[in-house]
Amino acid sequence: MIHSFDALILGGGAAGLMCAIEAGKRGRRVAVLEHADRLGKKILISGGGRCNFANLHCQPENFLSANPHFAKSALARYPPAEFIALVEKHGIPYHEKTLGQLFCDRSARDILGMLEAECQSAEVSIFLNTRIHQVERATEFVVHAADAEFRTPALVVATGGLSIPKIGASPFGYDLARQFNIAIREPWPALVPLLLSTEDRSHYSDLAGVSTEVIASCASQHFREKMLITHRGLSGPAILQISSCWKNPHRVMIDLAPGIEVTARFRDVKIPRNLTTLRSELRKFLPQRLADRWLDLHTPASWTNHALADFENQIHTWSISPAGTEGYEKAEVTAGGVDTDELSAKTMESRRVPGLFFIGEVVDVTGHLGGFNFQWAWSSGAAAGRAL
Ligand SMILES: Cc1cc2nc3c(=O)[nH]c(=O)nc-3n(C[C@H](O)[C@H](O)[C@H](O)COP(=O)(O)OP(=O)(O)OC[C@H]3O[C@@H](n4cnc5c(N)ncnc54)[C@H](O)[C@@H]3O)c2cc1C
């Protein structure tokens, strides 16, 4: 069976659905081809099931890319306010959790339901369980699926990254880009827990579950948020954020007591300089088990000012050399992807292959933790959808 559409969107996730809605609203005959048995599976598991769908403080600085300017145009033309207006039009209750992060009050199903309803009113055709075998380009793009063929002058790749393969992630988008000689920035797992080296693990893994506020730094980026010790390494928002900037063999620097001088009281000559006092000072700023372990491993060599200064310095500059990350199985997103130099920042269309568009996570634009990755999906999806 042969189908013809004005535009075909490969991948029915956040970016693909937004693109379909925008193009459908403008009267384009659009189809979404999705290989899974339902749309938007990642939306459903996002934000712990409540979908952190946007961030009130969204800025271009919240995105990592080889070209930090690339995302600006799409974000300016489809800012968080537009998506929030859509959420409000559908009467979806939501709240700001922290740091501008907007979550559904009820469930991520509300966001997916809204996108599906918008697709329906824009008369978007949806093809589920559709495995794509081959894409060719003659005068039009021809997409061969198992039992159908689709023809279109405009093909939008919205198949996401490699994160969470068990719910449908595939390298399809990167493979298609390579097929058309479009450059890729080597992908890597991002927003992902870090694994500690064997030695560090032997020191800290029994503290799994302990969390504290830190500043994590790497490659001139730094994040002040919670860090969580796990059985295999480190997690929590500060670590997930910094993981996006980390590449082997970089080191990650952790300030365990941001803005605090742990040894300040020792300036008072009446305060006894001994382990008991130092332990009780440290316990004021760190969870007790972590404070005790830190002191066991970093007992000051003596009680001179110099030794205390060294102790202070170590707390603010814990330098770890991660053994790796938990990988795509646990990564919230995939960094890297289709090189932005290949795309128009206004429309997401390939400069090399007219009619071919890339949107969402498959592109080398990765948001910080906090609703920014969905924002990129909505903004890049809308940019392409309005250009179709
Ligand atoms: C556990 C988890 C929680 C998250 N929580 C948040 C959050 O709260 N806030 C936030 O901003 N971001 C969050 N993210 C990130 C966010 O989900 C993604 O950045 C976003 O979904 C990317 O949208 P996308 O449309 O580009 O890709 P996806 O949403 O991954 O959609 C891609 C679609 O393409 C389909 N597909 C793949 N290959 C093929 C193929 N060969 N043929 C046909 N279809 C194909 C997939 O099945 C999928 O439906 C989370 C991610 C994870 C894994």
Side-chain angles (χ1 to χ4, degrees):
M1 188 166 180
I2 298 179
H3 304 276
S4 279
F5 287 94
D6 296 333
L8 270 185
I9 296 160
L10 308 184
L17 294 177
M18 176 54 75
C19 179
I21 292 163
E22 288 294 321
K25 278 197 314 203
R26 296 172 58 254
R28 301 292 183 268
R29 289 185 56 256
V30 187
V32 174
L33 309 190
E34 166 60 55
H35 70 170
D37 57 0
R38 66 165 306 168
L39 298 170
K41 283 191 175 181
K42 218 172 256 181
I43 296 173
L44 293 177
I45 62 163
S46 68
R50 292 248 165 98
C51 187
N52 177 193
F53 58 81
N55 192 301
L56 293 171
H57 311 310
C58 182
Q59 296 294 329
E61 292 71 35
N62 297 116
F63 298 85
L64 305 170
S65 170
N67 176 359
H69 303 292
F70 181 79
K72 286 181 181 170
S73 166
L75 292 169
R77 284 179 305 116
Y78 194 96
E82 279 220 37
F83 195 79
I84 295 165
L86 191 60
V87 168
E88 289 179 353
K89 184 181 113 187
H90 284 256
I92 296 173
Y94 67 92
H95 60 280
E96 179 184 349
K97 195 169 168 190
T98 173
L99 304 168
Q101 300 168 7
L102 303 184
F103 284 77
C104 296
D105 287 355
R106 293 187 303 229
S107 157
R109 280 196 300 274
D110 283 347
I111 297 296
L112 183 57
M114 173 188 89
L115 295 170
E116 287 174 327
E118 289 284 321
C119 278
Q120 206 172 5
S121 71
E123 297 183 30
V124 173
S125 301
I126 308 278
F127 294 82
L128 297 173
N129 299 305
T130 302
R131 297 224 155 257
I132 298 155
H133 294 316
Q134 205 191 347
V135 176
E136 290 172 323
R137 182 166 179 256
T139 44
E140 290 192 307
F141 292 95
V142 183
V143 176
H144 300 275
D147 45 16
E149 188 179 298
F150 298 85
R151 291 170 180 266
T152 182
L155 187 66
V156 183
V157 182
T159 46
L162 299 170
S163 312
I164 323 286
K166 68 171 185 268
I167 61 159
S170 82
F172 181 91
Y174 309 120
D175 294 344
L176 194 80
R178 288 191 193 100
Q179 179 188 331
F180 287 98
N181 289 323
I182 291 170
I184 303 284
R185 296 241 165 210
E186 197 53 46
W188 71 95
L191 298 181
V192 63
L194 295 175
L195 300 175
L196 283 175
S197 65
T198 314
E199 192 191 355
D200 280 337
R201 213 183 290 182
S202 72
H203 291 149
Y204 299 104
S205 65
D206 63 313
L207 302 183
V210 169
S211 102
T212 189
E213 185 173 313
V214 301
I215 296 175
S217 324
C218 186
S220 73
Q221 296 270 334
H222 56 92
F223 296 92
R224 182 175 182 151
E225 286 191 65
K226 289 266 185 186
M227 174 190 84
L228 172 74
I229 300 177
T230 70
H231 290 291
R232 287 152 57 89
L234 299 175
S235 187
I239 299 298
L240 297 179
Q241 298 275 33
I242 210 67
S243 73
S244 302
C245 317
W246 178 77
K247 280 190 187 161
N248 227 344
H250 286 169
R251 298 183 77 83
V252 173
M253 197 71 85
I254 296 172
D255 181 347
L256 285 168
I260 290 162
E261 191 187 349
V262 175
T263 55
R265 280 195 78 206
F266 291 107
R267 274 201 288 274
D268 181 344
V269 289
K270 293 195 287 295
I271 299 296
R273 292 188 171 196
N274 56 36
L275 274 180
T276 311
T277 323
L278 185 54
R279 191 180 308 278
S280 81
E281 284 307 295
L282 203 52
R283 284 180 178 182
K284 287 182 190 162
F285 310 114
L286 286 182
Q288 184 172 320
R289 289 169 66 210
L290 179 56
D292 292 354
R293 181 62 48 82
W294 186 265
L295 201 50
D296 291 346
L297 294 167
H298 303 87
T299 313
S302 69
W303 297 101
T304 61
N305 287 347
H306 184 71
L308 284 174
D310 274 354
F311 180 84
E312 183 76 45
N313 185 45
Q314 281 174 325
I315 287 182
H316 299 288
T317 57
W318 183 29
S319 169
I320 59 163
S321 187
T325 73
E326 295 270 6
Y328 290 116
E329 305 292 323
K330 293 278 168 64
E332 210 165 278
V333 285
T334 304
V338 172
D339 194 327
T340 55
D341 286 351
E342 297 275 2
L343 306 176
S344 151
K346 196 167 167 223
T347 64
M348 305 293 134
E349 186 173 13
S350 160
R351 296 182 189 285
R352 217 181 274 265
V353 187
L356 183 61
F357 298 72
F358 290 86
I359 57 173
E361 202 176 310
V362 73
V363 178
D364 173 33
V365 174
T366 304
H368 290 169
L369 191 73
F372 302 105
N373 283 296
F374 277 133
Q375 187 59 51
W376 172 243
W378 316 137
S379 296
S380 59
R386 290 168 181 178
L388 292 171

